[in-house]
Amino acid sequence: MQPDAEPLLAIRNLSKTFGGVHALDGVDLTVAPGEIHGLLGTNGSGKSTLIKVLAGVHAPDPGARLMLKGREVQLPLHAGDFRKLGLSFVHQNLGLIPALSVLENLRLSAILGGAAIGIDWSAQRRAAAETIARFDLGLDLDRTVEGLSPVDRALLAIARAFEDLKAGGGRGVLLLDEPTPFLPAAGVRKLFALMRSIVADGSSAIFISHDVDEILEITDQVTVLRDGRVAGSRATPGSSRDDIVQLILGRRVEIVAPTQRPDAPAQASRLRLKAVGGGALDRVDLEVAPGEIVGLTGLIGSGYADLADFVFGARRARAGHMDFDGAADIDLARQTPRAAIARGIAFVPADRPRAGGAGRLSVADNMMLPSLDVFFQGGLLHRSRLFERARELGARFDVRPNRPELDFGALSGGNAQKVVIARWLSRSPRLLLLDEPTQGVDVGTRQQIFTALRDEAAKGMSVIVASTDYEQLAAICDRVVIFRRGSIQENLRAPGLTKDAIASACYAETPGTDQGTT
Amino acid sequence: MTDATQASRRQALAFLERFALIGVWAVLIAGFSLAMPHTFLSWPNFTAMFGSSAPAAVLAIALIIPITAGDFDLSAGANLTLSACVIGVLNAQHGVPIGLAIAAALCAGALVGTLNALFIVRFAIPSLVVTLGTSSLLMGIVQWLTNSATISGISTGLVNAVVGTRVFGVPLAFYDVIALGLLGFYVFEFTPLGRRLLFVGLGREVARLNGVDVGRVRAGALISAGLLSAVAGVIYAGVLGSSDPSSGQNLLLPAFAAAYLGATTIFPGRFNPIGSVAAVYFLATGITGLTMLGVPLWATDVFNGAALILAVLISQLARGRSVAELV
């Protein structure tokens, strides 16, 4: 066989164990020259672990082999090795420097890796102009990246990855880790055209996406991971959408009836959202009843993650109003956390280290921050009473160690989350919003958090949980709302509210129009 | 090691850290006293120091308010000078009653703080840049107001109130500093506002998501710093009995050094008023001692500059460790 026919990249028997859990379990992956290879799987299927092994972030378990351009490569890789080996990554955040120009971004590696003094700008400009012209990108070399549209930024990032491949010795493998979810459809087309022209001269690309339709459109071959194993690998031409979804989910998808005309909530609603727009969302309506636990989910970029932020005012919505607890037409474009808290709304953010609590301040201060005024009496902040209350809540929510004087930053992820949840539940809010509440939280703690939420909901608190953990949503929600491309696609209710039902609804094609929104 | 011994060791270490600066201070005093038993170790020497360092001490308290909220005020020194010169111009040159002149100086200080807040909070310009600008701007105004000349003849009422009157031989200005330090201590430790200030500085997003009006807290901190700088200026005018249009700026660096040095003591890892006041007097002791030993004048600048950098280094080490050791 011709040397060209041998795979450009071959992974054999790749495993990775984290504390006894197999993130990857004997994975094989073969990418031929000139091929665009789709890599699919739900969250936690092992995609990101695989990428991180190739990027040199994780060392694989012994026994794995990696062949690149026909040569065996010693594992584990070290961070930065991939450049020399002919691998190039484009991550979702693209890794561009906004304040620098297109030229500087495109030639970043060449400039930084070049001579210590004296940059030959005319040579850099020539090389950059050549790349831009070759792929017909039509980008002005002197514009700063912050002025570019999201599509142009993605194109630039991919073109740069190609430049790096070229600099590393010609052909190589481009790894595209979900570059598309925030791009409009026309932009995705352009991106695909660029990918095609890059692989035309014998390089290959691995394209990671949640979007089955995109995978079908652009890839030649597709590999699906499920629970750390290869669930299947096949040629894309001739594969149907159903085949692939079945591989992702591990079973036949019965067409989940886009059914259940969402009936009116049993009780008068506590929260009614009207035409909320902003982020990925476009005119979304939603009602939540007292005591109801509603899950919001969808594929990344579908907008499910924006709604809770807007209701609380953590970010401003572009447009939209809400009725809440008797107050009508609250303008979400002007909502602030302060105003939301005053109405009895609470918010547990996903970004715990940055937004959940201040690491260098005590657990007690972090727990009581919104309630400080209660402890201010007779002109004195009663610190001992505040600590006492924090200890009490710590015991109730099983914070370990229950020492309110410790720095918040000293707690483990799960315990830090318990502190944040205790902070809000101690105020008996009317509506609790949670964004990925159990990310980085151990299983035992997870259960405790669920129980606490259920107890409070039983007493009438409404809950909205935004998450992509389908199992968790199935476990705690009365209803799960599925988002797709910025609007609500479906309402799933118990019974029939299972992890699989949620997953297949997320991956389902946009159904017909007989779709109300609750 | 058992938990108990570990805990007691940790407590001992914490105690050591809290009072290390006070200990070093005592050593410094002892050293200078041994070297110069008749000149350094005398009550008048100490009382003079208590009085003359009062403006720097108030300035240090002013600085730590915005620093705690995450903003710098480099204009505090110029603001102090402006306030002293407003008093000189109004009182000594135009015969305005001293009470009114002081009120005008305080208003000017608060106004400068408000201006800083407008640009820093409202227009989101980094505080270093804004206050560096206002600092130069104020110095220019001061030169214009005073014709770059020292104005003497400020009402003896003010001089008496600041350094003339003594209690136990110590000028009143020192008691003002102590009172302001305690007031600061109260606000920082015993009011919800003090806690919010800390959260705004150490976790701005956390503060915002917990309903703290971050913009208002930051603006309030900057305006308080402006007002307190002006108070320091009033005391400065009283200490000198005149308005010096240039020397006030020199107080900024020692005040900054004291603010950071203060963060290594009493409440290590936190900017705190009592610690800052102690640090001001610690630095003043060092400089007074060195000067009396006949060290040339330039050594003062070296001492202050080195103290600032070392203080920042130490307070950063203290912070880094306090998080790591608890994990």
Side-chain angles (χ1 to χ4, degrees):
Chain A
M1 263 198 163
Q2 301 305 310
D4 254 15
E6 81 184 344
L8 203 52
L9 175 141
I11 292 171
R12 294 288 172 266
N13 191 30
L14 178 62
S15 299
K16 175 70 192 171
T17 327
F18 291 107
V21 180
H22 282 287
L24 289 173
D25 189 2
V27 167
D28 293 347
L29 180 68
T30 307
V31 181
E35 175 179 285
I36 296 180
H37 195 113
L39 191 59
L40 276 159
T42 54
N43 291 316
S45 61
K47 288 177 318 220
S48 17
T49 311
L50 190 146
I51 295 287
K52 282 179 178 165
V53 167
L54 290 176
V57 176
H58 293 320
D61 297 347
R65 295 177 62 202
L66 171 64
M67 268 77 66
L68 270 169
K69 306 183 201 173
R71 290 220 315 271
E72 175 101 29
V73 175
Q74 191 66 38
L75 288 170
L77 301 178
H78 298 289
D81 275 0
F82 59 85
R83 271 181 240 284
K84 288 173 286 181
L85 296 171
L87 297 176
S88 194
F89 294 82
V90 177
H91 297 290
Q92 195 172 67
N93 68 16
L94 303 181
L96 299 172
I97 303 175
L100 295 185
S101 68
V102 168
L103 169 61
E104 286 161 321
N105 271 288
L106 194 56
R107 300 294 298 166
L108 196 64
S109 316
I111 291 170
L112 294 182
I117 45 165
I119 300 171
D120 184 352
W121 281 109
S122 58
Q124 300 296 352
R125 181 171 289 275
R126 257 195 320 279
E130 201 175 288
T131 305
I132 298 287
R134 167 176 180 170
F135 298 122
D136 197 18
L137 298 180
L139 294 177
D140 177 353
L141 288 178
D142 295 315
R143 270 190 75 184
T144 55
V145 164
E146 57 203 348
L148 297 183
S149 71
V151 176
D152 285 342
R153 287 184 205 191
L155 292 173
L156 177 61
I158 294 172
R160 180 175 68 181
F162 171 75
E163 290 268 286
D164 291 351
L165 278 188
K166 247 185 6 187
R171 295 185 314 158
V173 181
L174 204 60
L175 288 103
L176 302 160
D177 190 359
E178 296 206 58
T180 52
F182 302 106
L183 300 182
V188 173
R189 290 277 124 65
K190 278 179 152 175
L191 209 114
F192 285 174
L194 175 60
M195 284 165 63
R196 273 285 160 224
S197 52
I198 284 177
V199 298
D201 65 351
S203 285
S204 308
I206 295 176
F207 177 62
I208 297 172
S209 174
H210 277 301
D211 193 312
V212 180
D213 297 320
E214 286 181 6
I215 292 281
L216 284 173
E217 187 177 336
I218 183 69
T219 64
D220 306 305
Q221 183 82 21
V222 53
T223 295
V224 176
L225 295 181
R226 191 187 333 128
D227 302 328
R229 296 162 185 267
V230 174
S233 186
R234 58 184 60 184
T236 311
S239 300
S240 73
R241 190 170 203 293
D242 280 355
D243 293 341
I244 293 179
V245 173
Q246 188 192 346
L247 280 178
I248 295 172
L249 302 176
R251 67 201 165 77
R252 192 86 223 152
V253 189
E254 60 298 354
I255 301 306
V256 181
T259 56
Q260 298 191 347
R261 247 204 94 66
D263 28 9
Q267 294 155 279
S269 69
R270 167 166 294 151
L271 171 74
R272 177 182 287 126
L273 296 172
K274 298 179 288 193
V276 179
L281 293 180
D282 184 31
R283 299 187 64 81
V284 164
D285 301 330
L286 182 72
E287 285 189 37
V288 179
E292 191 181 21
I293 303 184
V294 176
L296 311 179
T297 192
L299 299 181
I300 187 164
S302 62
Y304 76 92
D306 293 322
L307 204 58
D309 278 7
F310 294 158
V311 169
F312 188 69
R315 285 184 295 140
R316 295 274 169 87
R318 194 177 56 239
H321 290 80
M322 71 173 183
D323 301 340
F324 181 73
D325 234 5
D329 284 327
I330 300 160
D331 186 356
L332 289 183
R334 306 171 57 159
Q335 177 75 311
T336 63
R338 197 178 160 73
I341 292 168
R343 293 189 187 280
I345 302 177
F347 178 61
V348 177
D351 185 2
R352 241 181 341 265
R354 201 176 63 87
R360 284 187 42 216
L361 292 172
S362 72
V363 168
D365 285 330
N366 273 290
M367 212 186 262
M368 293 303 155
L369 176 56
S371 317
L372 284 173
D373 291 333
V374 176
F375 301 94
F376 189 62
Q377 281 165 358
L380 274 186
L381 184 68
H382 292 272
R383 312 261 314 145
S384 57
R385 242 184 273 164
L386 188 150
F387 272 73
E388 202 37 57
R389 175 79 173 130
R391 202 184 317 277
E392 226 173 83
L393 286 169
R396 189 172 129 208
F397 289 92
D398 193 36
V399 176
R400 292 181 204 189
N402 187 16
R403 286 173 49 197
E405 75 282 4
L406 282 186
D407 279 1
F408 179 78
L411 296 182
S412 72
N415 283 296
Q417 189 69 322
K418 285 189 236 173
V419 169
V420 176
I421 287 176
R423 170 203 292 160
W424 292 117
L425 291 188
S426 71
R427 296 174 58 87
S428 310
R430 318 276 291 154
L431 169 66
L432 177 65
L433 307 157
L434 304 105
D435 191 359
E436 296 292 357
T438 56
Q439 223 168 48
V441 169
D442 59 282
V443 182
T445 303
R446 207 171 267 222
Q447 215 44 57
Q448 291 172 325
I449 291 175
F450 292 169
T451 310
L453 292 183
R454 282 227 166 278
D455 288 353
E456 292 302 315
K459 289 185 229 155
M461 177 180 78
S462 303
V463 181
I464 293 180
V465 189
S467 173
T468 51
D469 185 334
Y470 306 142
E471 194 166 6
Q472 161 185 325
L473 290 174
I476 59 172
C477 294
D478 301 315
R479 172 163 63 110
V480 171
V481 180
I482 315 286
F483 285 71
R484 189 165 175 87
R485 301 210 186 280
S487 23
I488 291 178
Q489 141 145 351
E490 201 170 328
N491 273 277
L492 296 176
R493 285 171 196 282
L497 191 56
T498 62
K499 173 188 173 189
D500 289 342
I502 298 170
S504 45
C506 286
Y507 283 97
E509 277 174 292
T510 314
T513 49
D514 184 27
Q515 204 42 153
T517 46
T518 312
Chain B
M1 214 187 303
T2 66
D3 275 2
T5 57
Q6 221 170 16
S8 67
R9 234 191 66 174
R10 197 183 294 140
Q11 273 180 0
L13 267 177
F15 181 85
L16 202 69
E17 194 174 8
R18 258 176 179 232
F19 296 104
L21 182 79
I22 312 289
V24 177
W25 190 8
V27 170
L28 202 64
I29 292 175
F32 284 132
S33 300
L34 282 176
M36 301 168 285
H38 302 297
T39 45
F40 184 82
L41 188 60
S42 69
W43 190 236
N45 180 36
F46 279 95
T47 56
M49 207 166 69
F50 285 148
S52 63
S53 293
V58 175
L59 202 61
I61 298 173
L63 288 176
I64 64 171
I65 302 170
I67 293 181
T68 300
D71 294 305
F72 288 100
D73 185 357
L74 297 183
S75 68
N79 204 350
L80 172 149
T81 310
L82 174 72
S83 150
C85 290
V86 163
I87 290 177
V89 169
L90 289 182
N91 177 248
Q93 291 187 340
H94 293 92
V96 174
I98 188 69
L100 273 182
I102 290 175
L106 298 184
C107 285
L111 189 71
V112 172
T114 310
L115 201 71
N116 283 335
L118 176 72
F119 287 102
I120 294 169
V121 179
R122 190 67 191 273
F123 299 117
I125 304 173
S127 58
L128 276 178
V129 178
V130 171
T131 57
L132 195 63
T134 33
S135 180
S136 173
L137 190 140
L138 294 180
M139 287 316 288
I141 292 177
V142 164
Q143 302 302 326
W144 169 67
L145 276 178
T146 61
N147 267 328
S148 307
T150 301
I151 301 165
S152 50
I154 289 179
S155 156
T156 50
L158 177 62
V159 177
N160 278 333
V162 172
V163 283
T165 312
R166 293 175 178 238
V167 180
F168 305 120
V170 180
L172 274 184
F174 177 70
Y175 298 99
D176 293 342
V177 170
I178 299 300
L180 281 174
L182 288 174
L183 177 66
F185 173 68
Y186 162 74
V187 174
F188 273 62
E189 292 299 316
F190 292 103
T191 65
L193 180 64
R195 296 287 106 182
R196 292 191 186 114
L197 201 64
L198 273 172
F199 271 94
V200 167
L202 293 174
R204 200 160 277 177
E205 185 65 2
V206 177
R208 190 177 73 87
L209 292 180
N210 282 279
V212 177
D213 190 336
V214 171
R216 247 176 63 187
V217 169
R218 290 175 72 195
L222 288 161
I223 295 169
S224 315
L227 184 63
L228 271 178
S229 304
V231 171
V234 173
I235 296 176
Y236 194 52
V239 168
L240 298 179
S242 60
S243 306
D244 182 343
S246 51
S247 65
Q249 189 70 330
N250 299 340
L251 294 180
L252 183 65
L253 195 91
F256 255 107
Y260 276 93
L261 209 50
T264 65
T265 189
I266 313 293
F267 296 103
R270 299 262 173 86
F271 292 96
N272 66 87
I274 305 283
S276 304
V277 169
V280 166
Y281 286 106
F282 165 77
L283 291 175
T285 307
I287 285 167
T288 309
L290 288 173
T291 317
M292 290 173 88
L293 275 176
V295 173
L297 212 58
W298 54 260
T300 308
D301 289 339
V302 174
F303 184 80
N304 279 331
L308 173 60
I309 296 173
L310 279 177
V312 175
L313 178 72
I314 296 169
S315 68
Q316 217 161 60
L317 290 177
R319 262 183 245 166
R321 216 205 50 225
S322 67
V323 174
E325 83 178 357
L326 292 172
V327 174

